[in-house]
């Protein structure tokens, strides 16, 4: 039976440390969140981000927009937030309404306020193994989980499934920077099972429920599940068939309670770190 990686517990420890450091500050970090979509999951994420920021004593502002919002309004808002010295972190929740140009808005965010690390300057620094102002929260949280459980990364055969800018690509970069051998697979990859079977660490971020089965994984491998899809019965389902896989591997993350809480904790840490860099 595998060790279940307890992301909730690790995130609480991280947040406790952050609370201690934040309590010592006279002025508190602040985060502005822009929500321009109708997606239920995004609303839930944004609410939890706001709740956690308030617990830490951060100032948090959420700007919610209707479907009629124009690109120009968001440009104006980001310019205003960039120029406001009371705002330390800007988060543009993705995805956006279809008519909006995501890349233009991400590039407009001042890189030192880019709490997600999505700006090309920050991704460029990440891919060059230089110091970004902030590193994308989910991949950063996953590295913290691996380190917490003392899971070796150096030289390991690792597989990231999913090539999104939010998880897959930055995850592959972080693993490469930590001297892993990295394969990046995605929806067009042929013979996925042949790829998964030889890997020491698999990080799956596809959003395809129960994609990863027992016969696809190597004995004693480490399985990190980033997928989270709400089923019709309201149950949250990951990319990994947890019950089927858990007896074959050495470590596995549950859904929920694995990667999710780490994303929020890392967002809070990024906000704090941006605040320090600006002050
Ligand atoms: N949508 C899904 N995950 C994320 C995230 O980590 N940051 C932002 N900005 N949008 C997301």
């Amino acid at each position: 039976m595998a060790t279940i990686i307890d992301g909730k517990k690790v995130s609480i420890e991280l947040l406790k440390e952050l609370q201690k450091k934040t309590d010592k500050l006279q002025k508190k970090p602040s985060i502005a969140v822009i929500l321009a979509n109708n997606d239920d999951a995004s609303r839930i994420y944004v609410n939890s981000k706001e709740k956690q920021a308030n617990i830490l004593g951060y100032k948090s502002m959420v700007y919610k927009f209707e479907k009629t919002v124009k690109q120009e309004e968001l440009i104006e808002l980001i310019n205003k937030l960039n120029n406001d010295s009371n705002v330390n972190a800007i988060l543009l929740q993705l995805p956006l309404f279809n008519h909006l140009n995501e890349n233009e808005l991400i590039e407009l965010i001042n890189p030192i306020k880019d709490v997600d690390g999505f700006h090309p300057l920050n991704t460029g620094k990440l891919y060059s193994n230089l110091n970004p102002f902030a590193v994308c929260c989910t991949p950063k949280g996953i590295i913290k989980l691996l380190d917490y459980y003392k899971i070796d990364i150096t030289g390991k055969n690792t597989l990231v499934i999913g090539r999104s800018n939010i998880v897959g690509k930055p995850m592959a970069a972080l693993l490469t920077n930590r001297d892993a051998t990295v394969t990046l697979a995605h929806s067009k990859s042929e013979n996925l099972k042949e790829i998964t079977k030889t890997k020491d660490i698999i990080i799956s971020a596809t959003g395809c429920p129960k994609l990863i089965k027992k016969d696809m994984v190597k004995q004693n491998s480490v399985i990190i599940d980033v997928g989270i899809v709400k089923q019709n019965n309201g149950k949250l389902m990951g990319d990994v068939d947890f019950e089927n896989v858990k007896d074959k591997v050495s470590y596995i993350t549950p859904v929920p309670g694995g990667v999710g809480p780490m994303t929020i904790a890392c967002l809070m840490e990024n906000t704090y770190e941006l605040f320090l860099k600006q002050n």
Side-chain angles (χ1 to χ4, degrees):
M1 168 77 196
T3 299
I4 313 288
I5 295 182
D6 189 345
K8 187 80 200 155
K9 180 182 90 171
V10 182
S11 75
I12 288 170
E13 286 185 22
L14 177 63
L15 288 166
K16 265 192 194 152
E17 284 306 305
L18 207 50
Q19 184 78 66
K20 277 192 222 154
K21 292 192 273 187
T22 307
D23 288 345
K24 289 193 190 127
L25 297 173
Q26 290 223 309
K27 195 168 170 242
K28 307 297 179 193
S30 81
I31 176 165
V33 177
I34 304 170
L35 180 60
N37 72 31
N38 266 335
D39 176 41
D40 282 345
S42 285
R43 277 165 204 266
I44 296 168
Y45 288 142
V46 167
N47 285 342
S48 355
K49 287 166 185 178
E50 196 184 10
K51 200 167 133 199
Q52 189 55 61
N54 290 333
I55 291 171
L56 286 168
Y58 293 0
K59 268 183 284 169
S60 82
M61 292 128 320
V62 180
Y63 298 86
K64 287 187 186 157
F65 290 91
E66 301 294 327
K67 202 167 180 204
T68 49
V69 65
K70 296 202 165 61
Q71 180 81 1
E72 291 68 36
E73 286 174 71
L74 296 182
I75 291 176
E76 201 178 310
L77 173 62
I78 291 173
N79 279 328
K80 191 183 90 171
L81 298 170
N82 278 341
N83 292 324
D84 184 346
S85 59
N86 288 317
V87 174
N88 304 115
I90 303 172
L91 184 146
L92 179 66
Q93 181 67 32
L94 302 177
L96 300 175
F97 289 122
N98 281 337
H99 65 283
L100 297 168
N101 180 342
E102 178 179 306
N103 289 340
E104 184 186 31
L105 296 174
I106 290 173
E107 283 193 54
L108 193 63
I109 297 173
N110 183 340
I112 204 171
K113 295 191 176 187
D114 168 34
V115 71
D116 270 313
F118 289 165
H119 188 284
L121 180 89
N122 285 322
T123 53
K125 279 173 176 267
L126 174 65
Y127 301 150
S128 305
N129 202 8
L130 300 170
N131 258 338
F133 290 117
V135 172
C136 311
C137 304
T138 300
K140 181 179 176 176
I142 291 170
I143 295 286
K144 280 184 190 284
L145 283 179
L146 295 174
D147 286 344
Y148 186 94
Y149 284 87
K150 299 194 164 42
I151 296 165
D152 256 350
I153 301 174
T154 306
K156 296 297 171 197
N157 279 318
T158 64
L159 169 66
V160 180
I161 315 177
R163 55 179 155 178
S164 72
N165 291 335
I166 298 178
V167 182
K169 278 187 254 172
M171 188 74 247
L174 283 174
L175 290 168
T176 306
N177 293 346
R178 288 285 299 267
D179 300 320
T181 304
V182 183
T183 302
L184 180 57
H186 46 79
S187 51
K188 299 271 190 320
S189 297
E190 291 178 359
N191 297 327
L192 186 62
K193 190 170 163 184
E194 290 310 307
I195 306 174
T196 56
K197 271 190 337 196
T198 57
K199 299 302 181 280
D200 303 309
I201 302 174
I202 296 177
I203 296 167
S204 186
T206 70
C208 302
K210 296 194 176 179
L211 172 73
I212 309 293
K213 307 269 189 207
K214 192 177 189 167
D215 62 344
M216 294 172 71
V217 302
K218 184 174 146 183
Q219 190 86 34
N220 294 326
S221 55
V222 175
I223 309 292
I224 308 291
D225 192 347
V226 188
I228 186 158
V229 172
K230 202 173 194 177
Q231 302 294 96
N232 287 336
N233 62 7
K235 227 182 133 202
L236 297 174
M237 191 72 72
D239 286 1
V240 180
D241 190 340
F242 184 89
E243 288 304 320
N244 182 259
V245 165
K246 72 178 196 306
D247 292 328
K248 189 171 180 186
V249 300
S250 60
Y251 291 89
I252 186 166
T253 59
V255 175
V259 172
M262 292 304 290
T263 299
I264 300 214
C266 287
L267 177 72
M268 297 300 123
E269 185 178 70
N270 282 359
T271 304
Y272 173 83
E273 287 172 357
L274 291 183
F275 170 88
L276 290 190
K277 285 171 188 168
Q278 291 162 38
N279 288 277

